[in-house]
Amino acid sequence: NQTKTLSAALCCYLVIGKKQSGMQMVSLGLLLVAALIIEKLVSLSAFSPPFFSGGSSLFATSSLFGAEGLARHVTHGVFPILLASFISGLAGAIVQKNLQGASKSGKKKVLPRNPYLFNMELNSASSLFLIASLFFSGDGKQMVQAGFFDNWTPRTLIPILTNAVGGIIVALVTKYAGAVRKGFALIFGILISGLIQAETAGITAEQVVGGLVAAASLYLHTMYPYKPKPKEVKDK
């Protein structure tokens, strides 16, 4: 999740030619740091003075895995995650291209898609794949024996409805704000979820610092957009 916004920015440039300013690139890096801090993947103690003198490390992977384990950690963990993140960013860029009717050159006019109809098409394709997977899973056999609505309660409709509404909201955000801004919403959603869960345990320092860094990154990304250089008009 932390690298999806960066891959979305890269893929938006590759697919539709949407550029980021220098300050926006800095803000994307800050957003990544904010997400890592909020989810406690990076400890705040790593930024204390002992870190710079070698007393602690930001990512203690070498001591946890060893040399051989570290290599496997990279090949079987880091690379697949980065590939999945790139595919997610590519999908977001393609969806943005279809919903906004954008083109890389900016000259070719593409008819923008209706977000509701586009969402219905994606859900229909997902439903077909899910139905096909039931023939090869134990869930399908259990569904045949006990029935489709076995163990259903009124509460079962809650995740179904929230997932449906969430899909529509994601389509609208992608159409009117873009895949990169959607990444900002994702990080702030993680922050809000953490604050709600912290109702019993209290707010941690990581949530406070991560929230401030995320707010700063959003401010920089909004206030310093990319401005294309004006074309020089040659005298005839």
Side-chain angles (χ1 to χ4, degrees):
N1 285 334
Q2 294 81 15
T3 56
K4 281 183 179 180
T5 308
L6 297 177
S7 63
L10 173 62
C11 292
C12 282
Y13 172 73
L14 297 175
V15 175
I16 59 180
K18 185 175 180 59
K19 299 180 180 180
Q20 302 285 324
S21 66
M23 194 59 70
Q24 284 182 323
M25 293 180 183
V26 173
S27 70
L28 292 175
L30 288 176
L31 185 67
L32 174 62
V33 173
L36 294 175
I37 293 175
I38 291 171
E39 296 191 0
K40 298 182 180 180
L41 297 177
V42 171
S43 175
L44 293 179
S45 61
F47 297 97
S48 60
F51 168 73
F52 299 100
S53 60
S56 61
S57 61
L58 187 60
F59 298 102
T61 53
S62 58
S63 59
L64 290 175
F65 299 101
E68 184 178 349
L70 180 60
R72 182 175 178 82
H73 173 70
V74 173
T75 57
H76 291 70
V78 176
F79 285 164
I81 289 174
L82 291 178
L83 179 60
S85 175
F86 177 78
I87 293 174
S88 176
L90 180 62
I94 294 174
V95 169
Q96 180 176 339
K97 178 181 180 180
N98 283 274
L99 291 177
Q100 295 182 350
S103 62
K104 190 171 184 179
S105 62
K107 297 179 180 179
K108 183 180 179 181
K109 293 183 179 180
V110 182
L111 185 65
R113 299 292 307 278
N114 184 295
Y116 300 99
L117 180 59
F118 187 80
N119 201 52
M120 290 175 61
E121 293 173 354
L122 290 179
N123 290 333
S124 299
S126 299
S127 299
L128 292 177
F129 280 105
L130 288 174
I131 293 173
S133 67
L134 292 176
F135 293 98
F136 306 97
S137 65
D139 293 335
K141 296 179 181 179
Q142 183 178 357
M143 193 178 298
V144 172
Q145 295 174 356
F148 182 80
F149 296 100
D150 181 48
N151 291 327
W152 275 51
T153 64
R155 293 184 178 182
T156 308
L157 298 175
I158 297 177
I160 296 176
L161 294 176
T162 54
N163 191 32
V165 175
I168 296 175
I169 293 175
V170 168
L172 292 173
V173 170
T174 305
K175 179 178 178 63
Y176 296 107
V180 176
R181 294 287 177 85
K182 184 185 70 175
F184 279 90
L186 173 65
I187 302 303
F188 277 97
I190 296 175
L191 175 62
I192 293 173
S193 300
L195 294 177
I196 295 175
Q197 293 176 358
E199 203 172 83
T200 55
I203 300 176
T204 62
E206 285 81 5
Q207 291 171 335
V208 175
V209 175
L212 293 175
V213 175
S217 66
L218 179 60
Y219 173 81
L220 292 175
H221 197 275
T222 305
M223 297 303 295
Y224 299 94
Y226 172 78
K227 296 180 180 179
K229 296 181 180 179
K231 296 180 180 180
E232 296 182 358
V233 180
K234 297 182 179 179
D235 296 332
K236 294 184 178 180

